[in-house]
Amino acid sequence: MIASSTLRIFVVEDNAWYGELLEYKLSQNPEYIVRRFTTAQSCLDNLNEKPDLITLDYTLPDGTGDVVLRQIKERLPEVAVIIISGQEDVRTAVGLLRQGAYDYLVKDEETADRLWNTIGNVNQQLALRRENERLREQIGQKYDPQRAILGKSPQMQQLFSLVEKAARTNITVSLSGETGTGKELVAKAIHFRSERRNNAFVAVNVAAIPRELIESELFGHEKGSFTGAVSRRIGRFEEAHRGTLFLDEIAELDLNLQAKLLRVLQEREVMRVGGSAPIPFDARLMVATHRDLTEEVKQGRFREDLYYRLLGLPILLPPLRDRGQDVLLLAQSFLQTFCSQNNMADCRLSPDAQQKLLRYPFPGNVRELKAVVELAAVLADGDTIQPQDLSLRHASTTQEINTPDGDESLRTQTAAIVQRYLDNHNGNILQVAAKLQIGKSTIYRMIQNNEIRVS
């Protein structure tokens, strides 16, 4: 249960006896700070104190409840206003509730008790709202670019500057860079620094969705529009309304869908598969790819008009090999997190291990570094990682890492980590997938390929 906090209440009542009764009753709760006013104007003059709740007598010497309610809501839209009236006119009550009143109570001998219960409900809702705001603030801090994206190199400082600039507007952002450089993390950092942070961040990996399903995934579908469409489904554009839609690996979208995406972006509305009515949306768009979109346009694989529609603010993420000492900063952060999550003693890198990491070009970028140091923490004897604990293969030249064997190095390391988690969690695939934040289908595929085993 979420703990309540101090509730600031204004009691607006011109009847001195009744006002004192309400003030006395509400003041019995030590967490309620109650102020009483006898006129509408005196209440309005003190709204700068930002009360959480106002009890408002419908008939005041200087204004009726509907007029005063409107004036209050214009200045404090979120405040809960409870109208207390001597009349039982249902039409009046309904009109005030539609105007934004939280509740309408008729004056009688039980009003004070009903008001007490109603304010208790308001207080619970306010506590939930405050908790949600606190959680949103925590998420915003988590994706603060200076905290979520570690790095002190000049390239990263320039990236942080672009993230801040992107967050101040709704411009489309196109993220590019090698696989594993953290494009989705940057997209989240922009979203949670923007005015849209209280709304959804919806991420779609275009390459991971079968071509026959991508249109339905993005735009939604109506019931019966195709075999298997047993109910209506809203698409990702609708889910991202007033938030951010992040389309990863946008270069993998086929030309037919590219044309439809272009129309959606031009019209700012989607048409569900099998639907007949366009649905407007308001979503900030961010896209990412590891391919060179200009080359894709030249080769006829990507529409030029869509390319310019998506270009917006281009942000290029630097590869890890160009970030210098950031490698060690990231490695130590990954080690600290991994050891904490697995109840292990803190690990550190020996000077020789540090030099080995700095010499390696990391074709898999940050994602590969994370896999390498986590495996090293498992293999190390004691709390110090030595060079032999770092499974870096073909580290002598950049050319060598582009061979199939170089690609296999990262996959082998990943399989070793998955295997260790399976062994430690009694082969519970769902639990391991959640712990490692990977899809369970990935683990099943590794089992089918005999890369790992379940005992």
Coordinates of all heavy atoms in Angstrom, one line a residue, residues 294-360:
T294 N 21.9 6.2 -47.3 CA 22.1 6.9 -48.6 C 22.6 5.8 -49.7 O 22.2 5.9 -50.8 CB 23.3 7.9 -48.5 OG1 24.4 7.3 -47.9 CG2 22.8 9.0 -47.5
E295 N 23.3 4.8 -49.2 CA 23.7 3.7 -50.2 C 22.5 2.9 -50.5 O 22.3 2.4 -51.7 CB 24.8 2.9 -49.5 CG 25.3 1.8 -50.4 CD 26.0 2.4 -51.7 OE1 26.5 3.5 -51.7 OE2 26.0 1.6 -52.7
E296 N 21.6 2.7 -49.5 CA 20.4 1.9 -49.8 C 19.5 2.6 -50.8 O 18.9 2.0 -51.7 CB 19.6 1.7 -48.5 CG 20.3 0.8 -47.4 CD 20.5 -0.6 -47.9 OE1 19.5 -1.3 -48.2 OE2 21.7 -1.0 -48.0
V297 N 19.5 3.9 -50.7 CA 18.7 4.7 -51.7 C 19.3 4.6 -53.1 O 18.6 4.4 -54.1 CB 18.6 6.2 -51.3 CG1 18.0 7.1 -52.4 CG2 17.8 6.4 -50.0
K298 N 20.6 4.7 -53.2 CA 21.3 4.5 -54.5 C 21.1 3.2 -55.1 O 20.9 3.0 -56.3 CB 22.8 4.7 -54.3 CG 23.2 6.2 -54.0 CD 24.7 6.3 -53.8 CE 25.2 7.7 -53.4 NZ 26.6 7.8 -53.2
Q299 N 21.0 2.1 -54.3 CA 20.8 0.8 -54.8 C 19.3 0.5 -55.0 O 19.0 -0.6 -55.4 CB 21.3 -0.2 -53.7 CG 22.8 -0.1 -53.5 CD 23.7 -0.4 -54.8 OE1 23.3 -1.2 -55.6 NE2 24.7 0.3 -54.9
G300 N 18.4 1.5 -54.8 CA 17.0 1.3 -55.0 C 16.3 0.4 -54.0 O 15.2 0.0 -54.2
R301 N 16.9 0.2 -52.9 CA 16.3 -0.6 -51.8 C 15.5 0.3 -50.8 O 14.9 -0.3 -49.9 CB 17.3 -1.5 -51.1 CG 18.0 -2.5 -52.0 CD 18.8 -3.5 -51.2 NE 20.0 -2.8 -50.7 CZ 21.2 -2.9 -51.3 NH1 21.3 -3.6 -52.4 NH2 22.3 -2.3 -50.8
F302 N 15.7 1.6 -50.9 CA 15.0 2.5 -49.9 C 14.5 3.7 -50.7 O 15.3 4.3 -51.5 CB 15.9 2.9 -48.8 CG 15.2 3.3 -47.5 CD1 14.8 2.4 -46.6 CD2 15.0 4.6 -47.3 CE1 14.1 2.8 -45.5 CE2 14.3 5.0 -46.1 CZ 13.8 4.1 -45.2
R303 N 13.3 4.1 -50.4 CA 12.7 5.2 -51.1 C 13.4 6.5 -50.8 O 13.6 6.8 -49.6 CB 11.2 5.3 -50.8 CG 10.4 4.2 -51.3 CD 8.9 4.4 -50.9 NE 8.4 5.6 -51.5 CZ 7.5 5.7 -52.5 NH1 7.1 4.6 -53.1 NH2 7.1 6.8 -53.0
E304 N 13.7 7.3 -51.8 CA 14.4 8.6 -51.5 C 13.5 9.5 -50.8 O 13.9 10.3 -49.9 CB 14.9 9.2 -52.8 CG 15.7 10.4 -52.7 CD 16.3 11.0 -54.0 OE1 15.8 10.5 -55.0 OE2 17.2 11.8 -53.9
D305 N 12.2 9.6 -51.2 CA 11.3 10.5 -50.5 C 11.1 10.2 -49.0 O 11.0 11.0 -48.2 CB 9.9 10.6 -51.2 CG 9.4 9.2 -51.6 OD1 10.0 8.2 -51.2 OD2 8.3 9.2 -52.3
L306 N 11.1 8.9 -48.7 CA 10.9 8.4 -47.3 C 12.2 8.7 -46.6 O 12.2 9.1 -45.4 CB 10.6 7.0 -47.2 CG 10.5 6.4 -45.8 CD1 9.4 7.1 -45.1 CD2 10.2 4.9 -45.9
Y307 N 13.4 8.6 -47.2 CA 14.7 8.9 -46.6 C 14.7 10.3 -46.1 O 15.1 10.6 -45.0 CB 15.8 8.6 -47.6 CG 17.1 9.2 -47.2 CD1 17.9 8.6 -46.2 CD2 17.6 10.4 -47.8 CE1 19.1 9.1 -45.8 CE2 18.8 10.9 -47.4 CZ 19.6 10.3 -46.4 OH 20.8 10.8 -46.0
Y308 N 14.3 11.3 -47.0 CA 14.3 12.7 -46.5 C 13.2 13.0 -45.5 O 13.4 13.9 -44.7 CB 14.1 13.6 -47.8 CG 15.3 13.6 -48.6 CD1 15.3 13.1 -49.9 CD2 16.5 14.1 -48.2 CE1 16.5 13.1 -50.7 CE2 17.7 14.2 -48.9 CZ 17.6 13.6 -50.2 OH 18.8 13.7 -51.0
R309 N 12.1 12.2 -45.5 CA 11.1 12.4 -44.5 C 11.6 11.9 -43.1 O 11.2 12.5 -42.1 CB 9.8 11.6 -44.9 CG 8.7 11.6 -43.9 CD 8.0 12.9 -43.7 NE 7.3 13.3 -44.9 CZ 6.5 14.4 -44.9 NH1 6.3 15.1 -43.8 NH2 5.9 14.7 -46.0
L310 N 12.4 10.9 -43.1 CA 12.9 10.3 -41.9 C 14.2 11.0 -41.4 O 14.6 10.8 -40.2 CB 13.1 8.8 -42.0 CG 11.9 8.0 -42.3 CD1 12.4 6.5 -42.5 CD2 10.9 8.0 -41.2
L311 N 14.9 11.7 -42.3 CA 16.3 12.1 -41.9 C 16.3 13.0 -40.6 O 17.0 12.7 -39.7 CB 16.9 12.9 -43.1 CG 18.3 13.4 -42.9 CD1 19.2 12.2 -42.7 CD2 18.8 14.2 -44.1
G312 N 15.4 14.0 -40.6 CA 15.3 14.9 -39.4 C 16.7 15.3 -38.8 O 17.5 15.8 -39.5
L313 N 16.9 14.9 -37.6 CA 18.2 15.2 -36.9 C 19.0 13.9 -36.9 O 18.6 12.9 -36.2 CB 17.9 15.6 -35.5 CG 19.2 15.8 -34.6 CD1 20.1 16.9 -35.2 CD2 18.9 16.1 -33.2
P314 N 20.0 13.8 -37.8 CA 20.8 12.6 -37.8 C 21.8 12.5 -36.7 O 22.5 13.5 -36.4 CB 21.5 12.7 -39.2 CG 21.6 14.1 -39.5 CD 20.4 14.8 -38.8
I315 N 21.9 11.4 -36.0 CA 22.8 11.2 -34.9 C 23.6 9.9 -35.2 O 23.0 8.8 -35.3 CB 22.1 11.1 -33.5 CG1 21.4 12.4 -33.2 CG2 23.1 10.8 -32.4 CD1 20.6 12.4 -31.9
L316 N 24.9 10.0 -35.3 CA 25.8 8.9 -35.6 C 26.4 8.5 -34.3 O 27.1 9.3 -33.6 CB 26.8 9.2 -36.6 CG 27.9 8.2 -36.9 CD1 27.3 6.9 -37.5 CD2 29.0 8.7 -37.8
L317 N 26.2 7.2 -33.9 CA 26.8 6.7 -32.7 C 28.2 6.1 -33.0 O 28.3 5.3 -33.9 CB 25.9 5.6 -32.0 CG 24.8 6.1 -31.2 CD1 23.7 6.8 -32.0 CD2 24.2 4.9 -30.4
P318 N 29.2 6.6 -32.3 CA 30.6 6.1 -32.6 C 30.8 4.7 -32.2 O 30.2 4.2 -31.2 CB 31.4 7.1 -31.7 CG 30.6 7.4 -30.6 CD 29.2 7.5 -31.1
P319 N 31.6 3.9 -32.9 CA 31.9 2.6 -32.5 C 32.8 2.6 -31.3 O 33.5 3.6 -31.0 CB 32.7 2.0 -33.7 CG 33.2 3.2 -34.4 CD 32.2 4.3 -34.2
L320 N 32.8 1.5 -30.5 CA 33.5 1.5 -29.2 C 35.0 1.6 -29.5 O 35.7 2.2 -28.6 CB 33.2 0.2 -28.5 CG 33.8 0.0 -27.1 CD1 33.3 1.2 -26.2 CD2 33.4 -1.3 -26.5
R321 N 35.5 1.1 -30.6 CA 37.0 1.2 -30.8 C 37.5 2.6 -31.0 O 38.7 2.9 -30.9 CB 37.3 0.4 -32.1 CG 36.7 0.9 -33.3 CD 37.0 0.0 -34.5 NE 36.2 0.4 -35.7 CZ 35.0 -0.1 -36.0 NH1 34.5 -1.0 -35.1 NH2 34.3 0.3 -37.0
D322 N 36.6 3.6 -31.2 CA 37.0 5.0 -31.4 C 36.8 5.8 -30.1 O 36.9 7.0 -30.1 CB 36.1 5.7 -32.5 CG 36.5 5.1 -33.9 OD1 37.6 4.5 -34.0 OD2 35.7 5.3 -34.8
R323 N 36.4 5.2 -29.0 CA 36.0 5.9 -27.8 C 37.1 5.8 -26.7 O 36.9 6.3 -25.6 CB 34.7 5.4 -27.3 CG 33.5 5.7 -28.2 CD 32.3 5.0 -27.7 NE 31.9 5.4 -26.3 CZ 30.9 4.9 -25.7 NH1 30.1 4.0 -26.3 NH2 30.7 5.2 -24.4
G324 N 38.3 5.3 -27.0 CA 39.4 5.4 -26.1 C 39.1 4.8 -24.7 O 38.7 3.6 -24.6
Q325 N 39.4 5.6 -23.6 CA 39.2 5.1 -22.3 C 37.8 4.8 -21.9 O 37.6 4.2 -20.8 CB 39.8 6.1 -21.3 CG 41.3 6.4 -21.5 CD 42.1 5.2 -21.0 OE1 41.8 4.5 -20.0 NE2 43.2 4.9 -21.7
D326 N 36.8 5.1 -22.7 CA 35.4 4.7 -22.4 C 35.3 3.2 -22.2 O 34.4 2.8 -21.5 CB 34.5 5.2 -23.5 CG 34.2 6.7 -23.4 OD1 34.7 7.4 -22.5 OD2 33.6 7.3 -24.3
V327 N 36.1 2.5 -22.9 CA 36.1 1.0 -22.8 C 36.2 0.6 -21.3 O 35.5 -0.3 -20.9 CB 37.2 0.4 -23.7 CG1 37.3 -1.1 -23.4 CG2 37.0 0.6 -25.1
L328 N 37.2 1.1 -20.6 CA 37.4 0.7 -19.2 C 36.3 1.2 -18.3 O 35.9 0.6 -17.4 CB 38.8 1.3 -18.8 CG 40.0 0.8 -19.6 CD1 41.2 1.4 -19.0 CD2 40.0 -0.7 -19.6
L329 N 35.8 2.4 -18.6 CA 34.6 3.0 -17.9 C 33.4 2.1 -18.0 O 32.8 1.7 -17.0 CB 34.3 4.4 -18.4 CG 33.3 5.2 -17.6 CD1 33.8 5.5 -16.2 CD2 32.9 6.5 -18.3
L330 N 33.1 1.6 -19.2 CA 32.0 0.7 -19.4 C 32.2 -0.6 -18.8 O 31.3 -1.2 -18.2 CB 31.7 0.6 -20.9 CG 31.1 1.8 -21.6 CD1 31.3 1.7 -23.1 CD2 29.6 2.0 -21.3
A331 N 33.4 -1.1 -19.0 CA 33.8 -2.5 -18.5 C 33.6 -2.5 -17.0 O 33.0 -3.5 -16.4 CB 35.2 -2.9 -18.8
Q332 N 34.0 -1.5 -16.2 CA 33.9 -1.5 -14.8 C 32.5 -1.4 -14.4 O 32.0 -2.0 -13.4 CB 34.7 -0.4 -14.2 CG 35.0 -0.6 -12.7 CD 35.7 -1.9 -12.4 OE1 36.7 -2.2 -12.9 NE2 35.1 -2.7 -11.5
S333 N 31.7 -0.6 -15.1 CA 30.2 -0.5 -14.8 C 29.5 -1.8 -15.0 O 28.7 -2.2 -14.2 CB 29.6 0.6 -15.7 OG 28.2 0.7 -15.5
F334 N 29.8 -2.5 -16.1 CA 29.2 -3.8 -16.4 C 29.6 -4.8 -15.3 O 28.8 -5.6 -14.9 CB 29.6 -4.3 -17.8 CG 29.0 -3.5 -18.9 CD1 29.8 -3.4 -20.1 CD2 27.8 -2.9 -18.8 CE1 29.3 -2.7 -21.1 CE2 27.3 -2.2 -19.9 CZ 28.0 -2.1 -21.0
L335 N 30.8 -4.8 -14.9 CA 31.3 -5.7 -13.9 C 30.6 -5.5 -12.5 O 30.1 -6.4 -11.9 CB 32.8 -5.6 -13.6 CG 33.7 -6.3 -14.7 CD1 35.2 -5.9 -14.4 CD2 33.5 -7.8 -14.6
Q336 N 30.5 -4.2 -12.2 CA 29.8 -3.9 -10.9 C 28.3 -4.4 -10.9 O 27.9 -5.0 -9.9 CB 29.9 -2.4 -10.7 CG 29.3 -1.9 -9.3 CD 29.4 -0.4 -9.2 OE1 29.9 0.3 -10.0 NE2 28.9 0.1 -8.0
T337 N 27.6 -4.1 -12.0 CA 26.2 -4.5 -12.1 C 26.1 -6.0 -12.1 O 25.3 -6.6 -11.4 CB 25.6 -4.0 -13.4 OG1 25.7 -2.6 -13.4 CG2 24.2 -4.4 -13.5
F338 N 26.9 -6.7 -12.8 CA 26.9 -8.2 -12.9 C 27.2 -8.8 -11.6 O 26.4 -9.7 -11.1 CB 27.9 -8.7 -14.0 CG 27.8 -10.2 -14.2 CD1 26.9 -10.8 -15.0 CD2 28.8 -11.0 -13.6 CE1 26.8 -12.2 -15.1 CE2 28.8 -12.4 -13.8 CZ 27.8 -12.9 -14.6
C339 N 28.2 -8.4 -10.9 CA 28.5 -8.9 -9.6 C 27.4 -8.7 -8.6 O 27.1 -9.6 -7.8 CB 29.9 -8.4 -9.1 SG 31.3 -8.9 -10.1
S340 N 26.8 -7.5 -8.6 CA 25.8 -7.2 -7.7 C 24.5 -8.1 -7.9 O 23.9 -8.6 -7.0 CB 25.4 -5.7 -7.8 OG 24.3 -5.4 -7.0
Q341 N 24.2 -8.3 -9.2 CA 23.0 -9.1 -9.5 C 23.2 -10.6 -9.2 O 22.2 -11.3 -9.0 CB 22.7 -8.9 -11.0 CG 22.1 -7.6 -11.4 CD 21.9 -7.4 -12.9 OE1 22.4 -8.2 -13.7 NE2 21.2 -6.4 -13.3
N342 N 24.4 -11.0 -9.2 CA 24.7 -12.4 -8.9 C 25.3 -12.7 -7.6 O 25.9 -13.8 -7.3 CB 25.6 -13.0 -10.0 CG 24.9 -13.0 -11.4 OD1 24.2 -14.0 -11.7 ND2 25.1 -12.0 -12.2
N343 N 25.2 -11.7 -6.7 CA 25.7 -11.9 -5.3 C 27.2 -12.3 -5.3 O 27.6 -13.2 -4.5 CB 24.8 -12.9 -4.5 CG 23.4 -12.4 -4.4 OD1 23.2 -11.3 -4.1 ND2 22.5 -13.3 -4.6
M344 N 28.0 -11.7 -6.1 CA 29.4 -12.0 -6.2 C 30.2 -10.8 -5.6 O 29.7 -9.7 -5.6 CB 29.8 -12.2 -7.7 CG 29.2 -13.4 -8.4 SD 29.5 -13.4 -10.2 CE 31.3 -13.5 -10.2
A345 N 31.4 -11.2 -5.2 CA 32.3 -10.1 -4.7 C 32.6 -9.2 -5.9 O 32.7 -9.6 -7.0 CB 33.5 -10.7 -4.1
D346 N 32.8 -7.9 -5.6 CA 33.2 -7.0 -6.7 C 34.4 -7.4 -7.4 O 35.4 -7.8 -6.7 CB 33.3 -5.6 -6.1 CG 32.0 -4.9 -5.7 OD1 31.0 -5.4 -6.2 OD2 32.0 -4.0 -4.9
C347 N 34.4 -7.3 -8.7 CA 35.6 -7.7 -9.5 C 36.3 -6.4 -10.0 O 35.6 -5.4 -10.2 CB 35.1 -8.5 -10.7 SG 34.6 -10.2 -10.3
R348 N 37.5 -6.5 -10.3 CA 38.2 -5.4 -10.9 C 39.2 -6.0 -12.0 O 39.5 -7.2 -12.0 CB 39.1 -4.6 -9.9 CG 40.2 -5.4 -9.2 CD 40.9 -4.6 -8.2 NE 42.0 -5.4 -7.6 CZ 43.2 -5.4 -8.1 NH1 43.5 -4.7 -9.2 NH2 44.2 -6.1 -7.6
L349 N 39.6 -5.1 -12.9 CA 40.4 -5.5 -14.0 C 41.9 -5.3 -13.6 O 42.2 -4.2 -13.2 CB 40.1 -4.7 -15.3 CG 38.7 -5.0 -15.9 CD1 38.3 -3.9 -16.8 CD2 38.7 -6.3 -16.7
S350 N 42.7 -6.2 -13.8 CA 44.2 -6.0 -13.6 C 44.7 -5.1 -14.7 O 44.1 -4.9 -15.7 CB 44.9 -7.3 -13.7 OG 44.9 -7.8 -15.0
P351 N 45.8 -4.4 -14.4 CA 46.4 -3.5 -15.4 C 46.6 -4.2 -16.8 O 46.3 -3.6 -17.8 CB 47.7 -3.0 -14.8 CG 47.5 -3.1 -13.3 CD 46.6 -4.3 -13.2
D352 N 47.1 -5.4 -16.8 CA 47.3 -6.1 -18.0 C 46.0 -6.4 -18.7 O 45.9 -6.3 -20.0 CB 48.0 -7.4 -17.8 CG 49.5 -7.2 -17.4 OD1 50.0 -6.1 -17.7 OD2 50.1 -8.1 -16.8
A353 N 44.9 -6.7 -18.0 CA 43.6 -7.0 -18.6 C 43.1 -5.7 -19.2 O 42.4 -5.7 -20.2 CB 42.6 -7.5 -17.5
Q354 N 43.3 -4.6 -18.5 CA 42.8 -3.3 -19.1 C 43.5 -3.0 -20.4 O 42.9 -2.6 -21.3 CB 43.1 -2.2 -18.1 CG 42.3 -2.3 -16.8 CD 42.7 -1.1 -15.8 OE1 43.2 -0.1 -16.2 NE2 42.4 -1.3 -14.5
Q355 N 44.8 -3.3 -20.5 CA 45.5 -3.0 -21.7 C 45.0 -4.0 -22.8 O 44.9 -3.6 -24.0 CB 47.0 -3.3 -21.5 CG 47.7 -2.2 -20.7 CD 47.4 -0.8 -21.3 OE1 47.7 -0.6 -22.5 NE2 47.0 0.2 -20.5
K356 N 44.6 -5.2 -22.5 CA 44.1 -6.1 -23.5 C 42.8 -5.6 -24.0 O 42.5 -5.7 -25.2 CB 44.0 -7.5 -22.9 CG 43.5 -8.6 -23.9 CD 43.5 -9.9 -23.2 CE 43.2 -11.0 -24.3 NZ 43.2 -12.4 -23.7
L357 N 42.0 -5.1 -23.2 CA 40.7 -4.5 -23.6 C 40.9 -3.3 -24.5 O 40.2 -3.1 -25.5 CB 39.8 -4.1 -22.4 CG 39.2 -5.3 -21.6 CD1 38.4 -4.7 -20.4 CD2 38.3 -6.2 -22.5
L358 N 41.8 -2.5 -24.1 CA 42.1 -1.2 -24.9 C 42.6 -1.5 -26.3 O 42.4 -0.8 -27.2 CB 43.0 -0.3 -24.2 CG 42.4 0.4 -22.9 CD1 43.5 1.1 -22.1 CD2 41.3 1.3 -23.3
R359 N 43.3 -2.7 -26.5 CA 43.9 -3.0 -27.8 C 42.9 -3.7 -28.7 O 43.1 -3.8 -29.9 CB 45.1 -3.9 -27.6 CG 46.3 -3.2 -27.0 CD 47.6 -4.1 -27.1 NE 47.4 -5.4 -26.4 CZ 47.8 -5.6 -25.2 NH1 48.4 -4.7 -24.5 NH2 47.7 -6.8 -24.6
Y360 N 41.8 -4.2 -28.1 CA 40.9 -5.0 -28.9 C 39.9 -4.0 -29.6 O 39.4 -3.1 -29.0 CB 40.1 -5.9 -28.0 CG 39.2 -6.9 -28.7 CD1 39.6 -7.8 -29.6 CD2 37.8 -6.9 -28.4 CE1 38.8 -8.7 -30.2 CE2 36.9 -7.7 -29.0 CZ 37.4 -8.6 -29.9 OH 36.6 -9.5 -30.6

